[in-house]
Amino acid sequence: MADPQIPRGETRLPIYPEPPAPAEFGIDLRLGWNRGDAAIAADVKAFWEQFNFLPRGVDPDHRVKEVVLAGYAGNRLVAVSTAAIEQVGFLRCKMAVYRCAIAPDFRGQMMSMLVTAHSLKALEAWSRAHPDEGVMGMLAVLENETYKKKTHPHRAPETKLSLVAFNPQGQKIVVAWFDHARV
């Protein structure tokens, strides 16, 4: 893997308005959103199984249809992002509800922020091209224990993600509104 620009343990990555190129982090991001790519689907399902990433009861054949990006280091899948289009009651609009999984040996290198930034761009471009879908932004629940600390800003200036609520488990719910969003 190439040495990333951001040192291990660094908490800031300037991703907005333009995220760094994935190659700077030694990965290739492949678009899976609405593509039905059988090779990506097979790799993603094997990745989820290898690391036991899917919660009990989640159908991998259904979830794999939600793949936004697949991140490869050479031929090895090391990152996957997914999104489900859902009506979000408290925001009164449809959002792309986002998830990201990173291989354990690629964590701590800002990989999730990189994949998230590029996923946001891909989802926003899709939303702009499909206005009839009415998707206004991307929502994520920050499940990583790191984000439970109160040391993270409510809106990091280098991203579009803003804190909007907490779920019953105390996890932060963040939203990035698409530039064309109207609510």
Side-chain angles (χ1 to χ4, degrees):
M1 184 176 94
D3 290 329
Q5 279 189 317
I6 307 300
R8 188 175 189 86
E10 178 61 57
T11 60
R12 302 238 179 212
L13 175 66
I15 63 170
Y16 183 77
E18 191 60 41
E24 293 178 31
F25 287 74
I27 64 166
D28 172 38
L29 292 177
R30 300 177 193 167
L31 185 63
W33 188 248
N34 288 331
R35 300 255 170 149
D37 185 307
I40 289 176
D43 290 346
V44 167
K45 288 194 276 187
F47 176 77
W48 287 335
E49 185 176 335
Q50 177 186 2
F51 295 111
N52 196 28
F53 279 145
L54 292 184
R56 186 180 313 271
V58 171
D59 179 6
D61 291 323
H62 176 77
R63 178 71 61 88
V64 79
K65 294 175 187 171
E66 300 173 347
V67 170
V68 179
L69 294 176
Y72 289 83
N75 292 326
R76 179 178 167 224
L77 184 65
V78 297
V80 175
S81 65
T82 63
I85 305 303
E86 297 179 13
Q87 182 71 34
V88 178
F90 77 95
L91 295 175
R92 300 181 182 177
C93 66
K94 283 186 191 177
M95 300 293 283
V97 179
Y98 177 78
R99 297 175 206 87
C100 184
I102 307 293
D105 56 320
F106 275 72
R107 294 178 186 162
Q109 303 171 42
M110 300 306 296
M111 192 66 63
S112 64
M113 289 297 289
L114 180 75
V115 172
T116 299
H118 284 278
S119 296
L120 175 63
K121 286 183 67 164
L123 290 166
E124 185 166 11
W126 172 83
S127 175
R128 188 181 314 278
H130 297 88
D132 52 309
E133 295 289 338
V135 179
M136 298 292 112
M138 186 175 89
L139 177 145
V141 176
L142 303 181
E143 297 177 353
N144 187 312
E145 290 295 317
T146 301
Y147 297 111
K148 285 189 176 179
K149 299 174 186 170
K150 294 189 181 208
T151 58
H152 292 81
H154 72 283
R155 183 174 197 278
E158 66 277 3
T159 72
K160 291 177 72 173
L161 294 169
S162 296
L163 177 66
V164 294
F166 291 89
N167 70 9
Q169 293 77 34
Q171 297 165 324
K172 295 175 182 179
I173 301 172
V174 294
V175 166
W177 296 100
F178 297 154
D179 288 341
H180 62 277
R182 301 294 177 260
V183 291

